[in-house]
Amino acid sequence: MTRRLRRRLGAEDGTAIVTAIVLLAVMVGIGLATMSSVDVQSAESGATRQRESSFNLAEAAMSAQIFQLARDWPGGGSAVNPYPVCTRTSTAARCPDSAQLLSLFTSPDIDAGTQWSTTVRDNVSPDNASFYSDQLAQTAPQYDANGDGQLWVRAQATARGRTRTLVALVRAQQQAEDLPRGALITGRLDISNNGRKVLIDAQGGSSQSGLVAVRCVPALLELTPCLGHKLSGGVLGTALATLNGLLSFQISPNITQTGYANTPAMSAEGRARLKATAIANGTYYASGCPSAAGLTGAIVYIENGTCSYTANTQFNSPSAPGMVLIARGSLYLGGTTNFYGILYHANEDGSTGQIMQTQGNATVTGGVLVDGMATTVVGSSKLNIRLDTGAFDRVQSYGSAGIVQNTWREIKGT
């Protein structure tokens, strides 16, 4: 009996061992399958993270490039200085700062092998105006050649071999510049005509009268013109001119102001924005004067020049007035010239002489502004200045830049 019991127990032990081995094999198989699944999922998770890292870097590069465009919009005058292709190793001022860009990320995927690039291209082709094509963009100028205030920005980033490419159409936002609205604001006014005719139309057909103001205050028997004619520069002369009604004819309506505040018509920041806009548009003149054709434009900035225009020329138009800003020097309009827009002399060198003249049959339709105590001369033959308040509304500079709605997207880049 004992022997049979032992045989039975031995058989049961064998069965138990076999069962244990089978269970162990099953468990090992399940474990290996689980490890394989986890490994696959980890790899997929890592790939997803890498794709997200490259996407985030491309998006950051695009934002940084748009920020540069907001600071330095490449207008039609940028043909000689187009935007470069920017990469991780670029040091150009118009490119994003690579060190700052990469410092935004703590992901292990952003390492020494990470690459990024940005390009700026015009939407000059009709087929590429509102829909981006890599093929069409390759030959497009790297500045706003067509002058519509819109550019394509392409950003690409590669992290751990994963590449993402983004594009967006960016539009320059125009910033309206604030100016005092007057037919004429100057230090002194010298009217070189004794006829009873309108030389300054301070109303211009509008319902409200514009300002005609001088910063000087008439002094007794002062021979230097302050408001009008030589003798009218003094208190006695002003009284005589008022009594004989001469100024009432020449300035219409004769609502004038003396002792106007001696502050610039624009802030230094505003002038700097207009200067940057003129540089971008190719209408900035560092020295000397532009040709007659060059005086036409939304913003023409003359740094220093003794400029005279006397031919039968029209500058700008009633529907598209412009602005000429001269920092130092003088500007003379004569002959039968017609200027539509704002003439602004910033008088940065503090001149007290005659630095702005509109004489002969020349007409300015818009406004004339002269800073400081310098003299403006008007009135040889006929109407020289006519107020147009709408011209002040058109004085704008490049402000910020932003993405045009529904143009941002990811493409399959190369």
Side-chain angles (χ1 to χ4, degrees):
M1 180 176 178
T2 302
R3 187 179 298 171
R4 286 199 302 270
L5 179 60
R6 288 178 178 174
R7 285 200 299 270
R8 182 178 178 183
L9 291 173
E12 290 178 351
D13 289 343
T15 302
I17 292 172
V18 171
T19 301
I21 291 173
V22 170
L23 291 173
L24 181 60
V26 171
M27 293 175 65
V28 170
I30 294 174
L32 291 174
T34 301
M35 291 177 63
S36 177
S37 176
V38 170
D39 188 53
V40 170
Q41 291 179 1
S42 297
E44 290 181 350
S45 176
T48 299
R49 188 192 68 238
Q50 291 161 6
R51 287 194 295 269
E52 289 181 352
S53 295
S54 58
F55 180 91
N56 292 336
L57 179 56
E59 188 175 34
M62 172 175 282
S63 297
Q65 188 63 80
I66 293 174
F67 176 74
Q68 293 296 330
L69 286 172
R71 298 175 57 191
D72 185 8
W73 184 262
S78 300
V80 296
N81 185 29
Y83 257 72
V85 175
C86 300
T87 66
R88 178 169 180 164
T89 58
S90 298
T91 58
R94 285 177 160 183
C95 290
D97 187 294
S98 190
Q100 292 182 359
L101 190 63
L102 296 176
S103 68
L104 300 174
F105 300 90
T106 58
S107 169
D109 303 318
I110 307 299
D111 57 15
T114 300
Q115 300 297 324
W116 62 265
S117 66
T118 59
T119 57
V120 173
R121 300 285 183 176
D122 194 21
N123 63 336
V124 64
S125 167
D127 296 327
N128 207 35
S130 58
F131 186 84
Y132 182 84
S133 164
D134 257 343
Q135 183 178 2
L136 294 174
Q138 286 177 0
T139 57
Q142 292 168 244
Y143 64 98
D144 187 13
N146 62 2
D148 69 345
Q150 298 185 121
L151 291 166
W152 284 107
V153 175
R154 182 185 189 272
Q156 186 175 77
T158 301
R160 302 285 185 179
R162 310 286 181 177
T163 300
R164 307 291 289 271
T165 306
L166 305 177
V167 297
L169 185 63
V170 177
R171 176 183 293 137
Q173 306 297 324
Q174 296 288 331
Q175 176 174 328
E177 296 293 348
D178 187 30
L179 288 165
R181 302 196 173 205
L184 174 64
I185 300 175
T186 184
R188 293 177 177 273
L189 171 61
D190 184 353
I191 297 178
S192 59
N193 190 300
N194 292 319
R196 292 174 176 262
K197 61 183 72 174
V198 177
L199 302 175
I200 301 174
D201 179 359
Q203 194 160 353
S206 65
S207 59
Q208 295 181 345
S209 299
L211 183 64
V212 174
V214 292
R215 297 184 180 87
C216 59
V217 176
L220 185 63
L221 297 179
E222 183 180 17
L223 296 180
T224 302
C226 176
L227 178 59
H229 303 271
K230 291 188 180 301
L231 286 180
S232 68
V235 175
L236 178 58
T238 299
L240 291 174
T242 302
L243 287 174
N244 66 26
L246 187 58
L247 289 182
S248 295
F249 280 99
Q250 295 179 334
I251 302 175
S252 177
N254 185 22
I255 303 174
T256 57
Q257 178 180 342
T258 60
Y260 188 78
N262 191 9
T263 55
M266 289 190 70
S267 65
E269 294 78 8
R271 296 198 302 273
R273 287 191 294 268
L274 291 180
K275 180 177 179 178
T277 299
I279 292 173
N281 291 342
T283 53
Y284 170 75
Y285 299 89
S287 62
C289 306
S291 65
L295 206 66
T296 293
I299 301 294
V300 177
Y301 195 107
I302 303 171
E303 197 71 60
N304 190 3
T306 302
C307 306
S308 178
Y309 304 90
T310 59
N312 180 20
T313 307
Q314 176 174 308
F315 305 104
N316 306 309
S317 67
S319 60
M323 179 181 188
V324 171
L325 194 162
I326 180 168
R328 292 176 295 275
S330 63
L331 180 61
Y332 178 94
L333 292 185
T336 55
T337 57
N338 287 287
F339 181 87
Y340 291 91
I342 308 300
L343 296 181
Y344 174 37
H345 200 309
N347 194 14
E348 292 184 2
D349 54 3
S351 173
T352 57
Q354 296 179 355
I355 61 175
M356 181 74 75
Q357 298 189 57
T358 58
Q359 295 195 291
N361 292 321
T363 303
V364 176
T365 302
V368 177
L369 307 174
V370 178
D371 285 347
M373 297 306 297
T375 297
T376 298
V377 182
V378 302
S380 288
S381 300
K382 64 162 195 171
L383 176 68
N384 285 149
I385 299 174
R386 177 188 291 113
L387 175 68
D388 177 14
T389 56
F392 291 86
D393 297 329
R394 299 295 293 268
V395 179
Q396 298 177 329
S397 61
Y398 288 129
S400 61
I403 295 175
V404 177
Q405 189 175 7
N406 298 326
T407 63
W408 182 96
R409 63 184 180 276
E410 182 176 11
I411 65 172
K412 186 178 180 180
T414 57

